[in-house]
Amino acid sequence: MKNSVIKGLILLFLGWCILPLLSLLFIAQIKEKYQMIFLFFVIFLVSILLFLTIRHLKRRVLAPISILVNETRRISKGNLAKPIRYDRKDEIGKLISAFDHMRDELYAQQREHLQFEVDRKQFIESISHDLKTPISSISAYIEALQDGIAQTKSEEKEYFRVIQSKIHLLNELSQQLSLSYQTSDSAPIHIERVDCHEWSQSFLQDVSMDCHAKDIEIETSYDDSSSDRTYMDIDIHQLERALQNILDNAYRYTKEVLELSVTNKDDLLFITIKNDGAEIKDGSLEQIFQRFYTNNQHNAEGHLGLGLFIAKTLITAMKGHLEATIQKDVITFTVSIPLNH
C-alpha cells in the first residue's frame, strides 16, 4: 500500500535495527582516531532517524487520532451535520472514513427523528382541530334539541340527520387514523378474485348515484377491449376505500370538470379520475401522497391530509399503481390494477 502507516513504521523500525548494527561493525574496523568522528556522524544519523520517527508518528498517527477525538466530542453534542475531512487512504484513513459513515448514518436518523417530531406535532394539531369541529357541532345540535328549538318533526329529523353525518365523519376519521401508519406490506388486505366487468359496472353506478345525491355532475365511461372474461385479485373493500378517498378529494375541489372512466386494456384495469380546481403546482405534485399533506391548514371540514396517502398505500399493497398528473388546474389520478384471465 503506497500510503500505508504500517509500511512507514516498518521502514523506520528496520532503520533503528540496522543502522546501529552497521555502525558498530564499521567502528570496529576503522582506525581509533576516526572512531570518534564516525561516532558523532552516527549520532547525527540517529538524531535524524529519531526526528523522522517522531514526525511520522505525529502526522500519520497522533494527528488523525486527535481529529477523531475532536469529532467524537462534537458528535456527542449532537452536531452531526459536518463531515469529517481526512484525505489519506491509509489504515487510519479507512478508520476515519468508517467513523464518518457512522456519523452520516446517525445524521440521517437524526433528520428522520426531527421529521417524525414535526409530523407528530402536525398530527396532534390536526387531530385536535378535526375532532373538535364535528364534536362541537354534535354538542350544539343536541343542546338545541334539548332546548326544544326544533318546532316540527321535519326540523327535528333534519337535526338528527346532521348529527348522524357528523358521527359518520368521526367514524371515517377513526378509520383513516387506523390506516395512517400502515405500509403497503402491513396494510390489512384480504385478497379475493373479482369479476372485472361486474365490479366496474357496479362501481360506476354507485359513484353516479352518490354524485346525484350530492348534486354533483359527473361524466362516467367504461371501455372493455378484452374479449375474454377478466378477473382482479383484490380486496374490494380496501380498493373502494382507496378510490373513495380520491373521489372525496375530487368532490372538494371540482368546479366544472369531474370525469370517471374505467378501461380494460393490456391485462390492466385503468381507473381514471379527473377534476378541475386543483391548487397545486406540478413541481410539488408528489407531495399530495405524503402523510398529513393538505393545501389548507385551517380547514373546517375534518381533513387530516391522509386520504391520498392511504389510497396509494392500499393500492400498492394490492400490486396496483397510483399516479397523478396535472395540467393547468386539471388533475388526473390513474389507478392501474393487474388482471387475470
Side-chain angles (χ1 to χ4, degrees):
M1 186 181 296
K2 185 176 181 181
N3 295 320
S4 174
V5 175
I6 295 176
K7 180 180 178 181
L9 291 175
I10 291 174
L11 292 175
L12 290 171
F13 177 77
L14 290 175
W16 278 104
C17 293
I18 295 173
L19 181 62
L21 181 62
L22 292 177
S23 300
L24 290 175
L25 292 175
F26 191 75
I27 288 174
Q29 294 182 10
I30 63 175
K31 294 181 179 180
E32 185 176 353
K33 64 178 181 177
Y34 296 115
Q35 288 181 352
M36 187 61 63
I37 297 174
F38 186 75
L39 182 61
F40 282 115
F41 179 72
V42 170
I43 292 173
F44 175 72
L45 291 179
V46 169
S47 300
I48 293 176
L49 187 61
L50 179 62
F51 171 77
L52 293 175
T53 302
I54 294 173
R55 182 171 179 269
H56 182 79
L57 290 173
K58 184 177 180 180
R59 292 183 59 187
R60 305 296 293 277
V61 179
L62 299 180
I65 290 177
S66 178
I67 291 174
L68 278 178
V69 170
N70 293 332
E71 293 299 326
T72 302
R73 290 173 180 169
R74 178 176 62 82
I75 290 172
S76 66
K77 296 178 181 178
N79 185 2
L80 300 168
K82 182 181 177 182
I84 303 174
R85 302 296 183 187
Y86 189 76
D87 297 331
R88 293 185 180 276
K89 304 299 181 182
D90 52 26
E91 293 85 358
I92 296 181
K94 290 181 178 180
L95 173 63
I96 294 178
S97 178
F99 192 83
D100 186 57
H101 179 71
M102 180 190 70
R103 174 209 59 80
D104 195 49
E105 292 292 325
L106 291 173
Y107 182 49
Q109 294 177 17
Q110 184 186 64
R111 285 182 295 176
E112 288 179 4
H113 179 71
L114 291 174
Q115 185 60 47
F116 173 78
E117 290 298 325
V118 171
D119 288 346
R120 185 173 67 171
K121 182 180 178 182
Q122 184 180 359
F123 174 79
I124 293 172
E125 291 175 350
S126 298
I127 288 294
S128 299
H129 177 270
D130 296 330
L131 293 180
K132 180 180 178 181
T133 301
I135 290 173
S136 298
S137 297
I138 292 171
S139 178
Y141 280 109
I142 290 175
E143 289 179 5
L145 289 170
Q146 289 175 338
D147 294 339
I149 291 179
Q151 300 296 321
T152 64
K153 287 291 184 180
S154 61
E155 288 184 7
E156 186 178 277
K157 186 177 181 180
E158 181 63 19
Y159 275 95
F160 280 118
R161 187 194 67 78
V162 175
I163 291 173
Q164 186 177 17
S165 69
K166 297 300 181 182
I167 293 174
H168 174 74
L169 175 60
L170 289 174
N171 183 57
E172 183 61 26
L173 287 173
S174 175
Q175 292 177 341
Q176 296 278 60
L177 290 173
S178 68
L179 292 170
S180 62
Y181 278 93
Q182 297 287 351
T183 66
S184 58
D185 294 326
S186 64
I189 300 295
H190 304 286
I191 298 297
E192 59 180 307
R193 180 150 291 191
V194 177
D195 185 281
C196 179
H197 178 76
E198 291 180 1
W199 177 86
S200 299
Q201 296 283 15
S202 175
F203 174 69
L204 289 173
Q205 184 178 5
D206 289 346
V207 173
S208 296
M209 293 176 62
D210 190 30
C211 288
H212 180 72
K214 297 176 183 292
D215 196 24
I216 298 175
E217 292 187 8
I218 185 171
E219 181 180 335
T220 63
S221 64
Y222 177 56
D223 180 13
D224 186 358
S225 60
S226 175
S227 58
D228 300 326
R229 200 175 185 88
T230 55
Y231 300 89
M232 300 182 291
D233 292 328
I234 60 169
D235 184 323
I236 292 182
H237 175 70
Q238 298 293 31
L239 176 60
E240 292 183 353
R241 170 182 290 279
L243 294 173
Q244 190 60 53
N245 284 350
I246 301 172
L247 285 167
D248 287 342
N249 190 74
Y251 295 158
R252 288 199 299 271
Y253 293 103
T254 295
K255 295 178 180 178
E256 297 179 358
V257 177
L258 179 56
E259 299 176 6
L260 171 62
S261 64
V262 180
T263 306
N264 186 336
K265 183 180 179 182
D266 298 331
D267 292 330
L268 290 171
L269 184 73
F270 294 96
I271 306 162
T272 304
I273 300 171
K274 179 187 295 186
N275 68 275
D276 62 352
E279 300 175 354
I280 62 175
K281 297 180 180 179
D282 188 28
S284 59
L285 190 60
E286 281 301 314
Q287 293 181 8
I288 64 176
F289 295 114
Q290 294 178 1
R291 188 188 287 116
F292 305 124
Y293 177 82
T294 175
N295 279 332
N296 186 359
Q297 300 294 336
H298 304 286
N299 67 80
E301 301 176 17
H303 306 308
L304 294 174
L306 291 171
L308 295 179
F309 167 79
I310 291 173
K312 187 157 190 174
T313 299
L314 294 176
I315 291 169
T316 303
M318 289 179 277
K319 311 302 181 184
H321 183 68
L322 169 61
E323 64 178 7
T325 57
I326 190 167
Q327 186 174 9
K328 294 184 179 180
D329 69 334
V330 177
I331 188 167
T332 302
F333 293 92
T334 303
V335 178
S336 55
I337 302 293
L339 298 178
N340 296 307
H341 294 276

